[in-house]
Amino acid sequence: MEKFREVLNLHLKHRNALGYCLVSLLTAGGERIFSTTVFQCPCSVAWNLPYGLVFLLVPALALFLLGYVLSARTWRLLTGCCARSCGSGLRGALVCAQISATAAVAPLTWVAVALLGGAFYECAASGSEVLARYLCVGRDPRCAAQLPLVPCQQAQAPDVKQLQKELQKELTAHSQVLGWVLIAVVIILLLICTSITRCLSPVSYLQLKFWKIYLQQEQQILKSQATEHATQLAKENIKCFCECSHPQEYNTPSIKDWQQISSLYTFNPKEQYYSTLHKYVNKKQKNQSSTSSEEDAMVPVLGFVDSSDMNSTTDL
């Protein structure tokens, strides 16, 4: 039991990192399955380039859009946006940039693994006239004609077969170099962006730890209380319907109340609120509006505040 508890605590502590690793592993496995079972290069001058690019980029685009769909922050930003003010364009753009960075994990993994494998790039590059002129410099005159047939390796003549093998090795080398360059660039950019956001953080490292603990507890209690309140309200309504009686009065937050605690979190150095709910409760007690003021700002390092909801917990 103690070991199970330690594993559970480790999962909760590194939830995001483990989630990204799982997404990357599933994406890499999916790419391998696609490249070995589904992908069949047509070995045609007209179709090699579009066919290879479709397999390389379209699944990446689909994974990117799926990342938006699965992000709680996306729906927090969009829900009710057409019926009310969505805030300033700058804040919305910053939130979209942060969501995009998170959603880019799976598509970048797909492209990197595909490039390291080489099959998609080999097919696409073998149909490119520009690359053909580069690869065939100083080679057999039949090089340009044989290049689209390289992925299939169907040549019978020994000299042509040797030419296709040489071209295939060069295309595979190009693909793998691009794959490693992409991985290096992504890691460097991730390190730079993380360092900058942490450096610009208005709160200390330990306060960030406390902040995440508070959010986890707030969301768990909110879900529990909301479930209990909704159950009691449903029971009362069903009881009144079956008995043809009048319902008791239940105090339920108004539409405006729900909108205010569902808005995007903004940080104000003069006021220490750990969530929009925390801000709403304190502002209401002082008869003040909980809407964002000019002094409030979107802080990248606090993006986790909007990423949590009643169906998820924040990593510690």
Side-chain angles (χ1 to χ4, degrees):
M1 182 62 69
E2 289 295 328
K3 290 184 177 180
F4 175 76
R5 191 171 299 160
E6 290 178 4
V7 172
L8 180 61
N9 290 335
L10 180 66
H11 166 71
L12 292 175
K13 186 175 181 180
H14 302 287
R15 179 185 175 92
N16 278 0
L18 291 174
Y20 290 145
C21 290
L22 179 61
V23 168
S24 298
L25 288 174
L26 290 176
T27 305
E31 191 281 331
R32 289 290 84 198
I33 294 173
F34 261 74
S35 61
T36 55
T37 61
V38 179
F39 183 76
Q40 296 291 334
C41 187
C43 296
S44 165
V45 179
W47 283 102
N48 278 19
L49 181 60
Y51 188 85
L53 289 179
V54 163
F55 272 82
L56 181 64
L57 300 179
V58 172
L61 177 61
L63 290 170
F64 181 72
L65 296 177
L66 184 62
Y68 262 90
V69 172
L70 296 179
S71 173
R73 212 172 181 196
T74 301
W75 304 116
R76 182 182 284 264
L77 175 65
L78 290 180
T79 303
C81 189
C82 296
R84 55 183 171 82
S85 174
C86 297
S88 67
L90 181 60
R91 289 175 180 172
L94 180 58
V95 173
C96 287
Q98 292 174 333
I99 297 173
S100 299
T102 303
V105 173
L108 287 174
T109 301
W110 175 276
V111 174
V113 173
L115 289 174
L116 291 177
F120 300 159
Y121 177 86
E122 179 184 318
C123 182
S126 63
S128 171
E129 294 182 2
V130 176
L131 196 57
R133 288 195 293 268
Y134 166 75
L135 289 173
C136 294
V137 174
R139 279 198 166 100
D140 191 296
R142 296 170 293 179
C143 175
Q146 291 297 321
L147 185 60
L149 304 177
V150 166
C152 297
Q153 292 289 313
Q154 296 176 346
Q156 299 298 326
D159 56 339
V160 176
K161 196 170 185 178
Q162 181 63 30
L163 175 62
Q164 289 185 352
K165 285 184 177 180
E166 292 177 1
L167 292 172
Q168 187 178 36
K169 287 182 180 179
E170 190 162 351
L171 289 174
T172 302
H174 289 177
S175 181
Q176 291 178 344
V177 168
L178 288 175
W180 283 115
V181 168
L182 176 62
I183 292 173
V185 169
V186 169
I187 292 175
I188 292 171
L189 288 178
L190 178 62
L191 178 61
I192 292 174
C193 292
T194 303
S195 300
I196 292 175
T197 54
R198 286 299 181 119
C199 183
L200 297 175
S201 172
V203 296
S204 65
Y205 175 78
L206 289 179
Q207 188 175 3
L208 277 176
K209 290 285 186 182
F210 171 80
W211 204 316
K212 294 177 181 180
I213 294 171
Y214 168 83
L215 279 176
Q216 180 187 7
Q217 297 302 316
E218 181 188 85
Q219 294 303 322
Q220 289 178 351
I221 296 171
L222 176 60
K223 182 178 181 180
S224 175
Q225 292 290 327
T227 302
E228 181 181 351
H229 186 82
T231 302
Q232 291 176 354
L233 182 60
K235 285 181 178 180
E236 178 65 21
N237 289 333
I238 294 172
K239 178 183 177 182
C240 293
F241 173 76
C242 294
E243 298 178 357
C244 297
S245 59
H246 295 287
Q248 296 180 2
E249 184 178 353
Y250 273 85
N251 292 324
T252 304
S254 65
I255 294 177
K256 185 177 180 181
D257 295 335
W258 285 110
Q259 287 177 347
Q260 291 191 12
I261 69 167
S262 300
S263 60
L264 292 174
Y265 177 80
T266 53
F267 179 78
N268 190 329
K270 297 180 180 179
E271 300 171 328
Q272 187 165 294
Y273 300 124
Y274 291 110
S275 68
T276 51
L277 179 60
H278 185 196
K279 182 179 181 180
Y280 167 76
V281 171
N282 283 270
K283 291 280 189 178
K284 185 177 182 180
Q285 186 179 11
K286 300 175 185 178
N287 294 322
Q288 297 176 352
S289 174
S290 62
T291 55
S292 299
S293 63
E294 294 182 357
E295 296 181 353
D296 292 354
M298 301 290 293
V299 180
V301 76
L302 300 179
F304 62 86
V305 178
D306 294 324
S307 300
S308 60
D309 57 26
M310 285 191 286
N311 293 319
S312 64
T313 54
T314 311
D315 64 303
L316 304 183

